Amino acid sequence: MVWSPPVRFWLLPNAVLLVVLAVWGAVRYPRLPARIPQHIGSGGVDAWTDRSIGSAFVLVFVYAGVTVLMAGCAELTLRMTPRDELPVSDRVFAPARASLSLLNRPGSRASARRIARALLLFDMCIGVAFLPACGVLWRSSPDPDVPAWLFTAMSLPLLAGTALTVVAAVRDRRL
């Protein structure tokens, strides 16, 4: 799929963040201990695994997959015909003729751009939330303790991204 110019532009911060994560992990990988954190719970690291490319770069791979998924959703949102461009006969709501595809369409081209931009900003927030987790994952000593602020540092970007996406969607429904 070839991304449209708006998606390519809005995807740039996500691509930079993905490269930063990958390079940071590649630099840290040779100095990682033989066992690295596999799961971080409320009491710190509660599961360990042997160091491997897959275990060390799991967050980078997940973020790459989420980025492709979000970029695809943003692209499809921009390619969808908005409600205000449909023929009037298709926009009239009749329970017998109601189509689910009409209910989930952006209201206008401007609304589609806002929703696509919100999706890609949410993706960037996911990447920012992964930064502190990567810091714990790529420590050079197998320490089970994690900083108390880790949960907050990961939650705040996710909450901000969710709020931006919800605001864009709700604004679209009001227009």
Side-chain angles (χ1 to χ4, degrees):
M1 178 181 276
V2 177
W3 309 116
S4 61
V7 171
R8 282 190 297 234
F9 178 72
W10 301 327
L11 196 55
L12 188 61
N14 301 324
V16 168
L17 190 54
L18 186 59
V19 168
V20 165
L21 282 172
V23 169
W24 183 25
V27 167
R28 297 292 306 147
Y29 186 76
R31 290 184 285 286
L32 291 179
R35 302 211 19 98
I36 60 174
Q38 181 179 20
H39 184 265
I40 302 168
S42 59
V45 178
D46 55 13
W48 299 86
T49 187
D50 293 330
R51 179 183 74 177
S52 68
I53 298 291
S55 63
F57 288 89
V58 65
L59 293 176
V60 177
F61 297 148
V62 167
Y63 182 55
V66 168
T67 298
V68 169
L69 179 68
M70 291 291 213
C73 289
E75 181 69 27
L76 291 174
T77 299
L78 290 172
R79 290 183 182 204
M80 190 179 298
T81 304
R83 285 190 308 264
D84 67 355
E85 293 179 12
L86 291 173
V88 176
S89 62
D90 289 346
R91 284 189 268 160
V92 176
F93 181 81
R97 292 182 34 212
S99 168
L100 290 178
S101 65
L102 284 178
L103 298 176
N104 292 320
R105 290 180 183 274
S108 65
R109 290 280 171 206
S111 177
R113 285 190 299 275
R114 277 192 301 274
I115 292 169
R117 192 172 31 240
L119 286 172
L120 294 175
L121 283 171
F122 183 42
D123 180 50
M124 185 179 69
C125 291
I126 292 170
V128 170
F130 281 0
L131 285 170
C134 287
V136 170
L137 181 65
W138 296 332
R139 292 187 291 194
S140 43
S141 63
D143 185 5
D145 294 328
V146 295
W149 51 263
L150 181 67
F151 178 75
T152 304
M154 291 182 67
S155 298
L156 287 179
L158 294 175
L159 291 173
T162 301
L164 286 170
T165 306
V166 168
V167 165
V170 167
R171 184 175 176 195
D172 175 56
R173 294 301 172 211
R174 280 197 223 148
L175 296 176

